[in-house]
Amino acid sequence: MPSRLAVLASGRGSNLQAIIDHFDGLGQLARVVLVASNRADAPALSKAAKASISTATFIAADDGTQLLALLREHRIDLVVLAGYLKRIPSSVIAAFAGRILNVHPALLPDFGGEGMYGSRVHEAVLAAKAEQTGVTVHLVDDDYDRGPIVARWIVPVLPGDDPASLAARVLEVEHIVYPRAVEMVAALHEHGFVVP
Ligand code: GRF
């Protein structure tokens, strides 16, 4: 049975698209069966609809009840955060312990934490004059951007970079790393290797 993935996205959904495309080609291992957003106008929702995937929106102030019901209704195995800007309620983290993944556009634990998203991350990397940045995929727990890391890839910061050029280079790597990290975790789960 393929793992049933829910992707939560608040924005444009380029990682969502990369994940849909990746598992389209692979068939059996996993498939995206639900895309949910806290924003009804998120372009990610139209990307999902175009791929004939069920979509849902839930209110931003949800205490977890609504999201949890949605995940259960769709019999979700793994929750994949892809540009999802809200904190995941504790009840959902508890119910899906070890089964929620996030991608961050820097090398965690650096340049992570509350409020570090979008171009702010790349601005901070440039301000720190870091020579390297990268992509981190991690399991989500109650500690913001601090859950166990499952994949990490270094991306160079080049002379003359601005936040936009850096973001574009990092995003290209996200699109390669994230679908494969999701695939790896789905395969580990299938073999019974679950992180509690
Ligand atoms: C990505 O850079 C991701 O690392 C971060 O939010 C961005 C989402 O982009 N968490 P997209 O919506 O997948 O295009």
Side-chain angles (χ1 to χ4, degrees), residues 11-123:
R12 87 196 137 179
S14 70
N15 277 288
L16 163 69
Q17 192 65 58
I19 291 165
I20 292 172
D21 295 345
H22 181 75
F23 288 108
D24 246 8
L26 282 185
Q28 283 308 309
L29 190 66
R31 65 195 174 97
V32 181
V33 296
L34 173 69
V35 175
S37 185
N38 59 314
R39 280 186 42 196
D41 61 348
L45 291 174
S46 11
K47 289 193 166 78
K50 209 163 164 194
S52 306
I53 295 166
S54 296
T55 59
T57 50
F58 50 92
I59 50 166
D62 177 40
D63 64 354
T65 317
Q66 209 188 347
L67 179 55
L68 211 44
L70 199 56
L71 298 175
R72 290 200 166 126
E73 180 195 333
H74 289 269
R75 294 175 284 114
I76 297 303
D77 299 305
L78 274 179
V79 179
V80 179
L81 308 185
Y84 183 66
L85 297 179
K86 286 276 160 193
R87 198 182 256 282
I88 300 293
S90 300
S91 57
V92 178
I93 292 177
F96 280 82
R99 295 192 291 146
I100 307 177
L101 286 161
N102 184 41
V103 65
H104 187 79
L107 296 173
L108 291 176
D110 294 341
F111 307 109
E114 196 127 28
M116 273 300 223
Y117 61 87
S119 64
R120 286 189 206 176
V121 177
H122 308 294
E123 281 159 18

Side-chain angles (χ1 to χ4, degrees), residues 138-167:
H138 66 98
L139 295 173
V140 174
D141 59 19
D142 276 317
D143 216 358
Y144 222 86
D145 281 345
R146 289 293 162 114
I149 290 173
V150 300
R152 213 166 173 264
W153 195 261
I154 291 168
V155 175
V157 179
L158 300 179
D161 261 336
D162 59 19
S165 64
L166 196 52

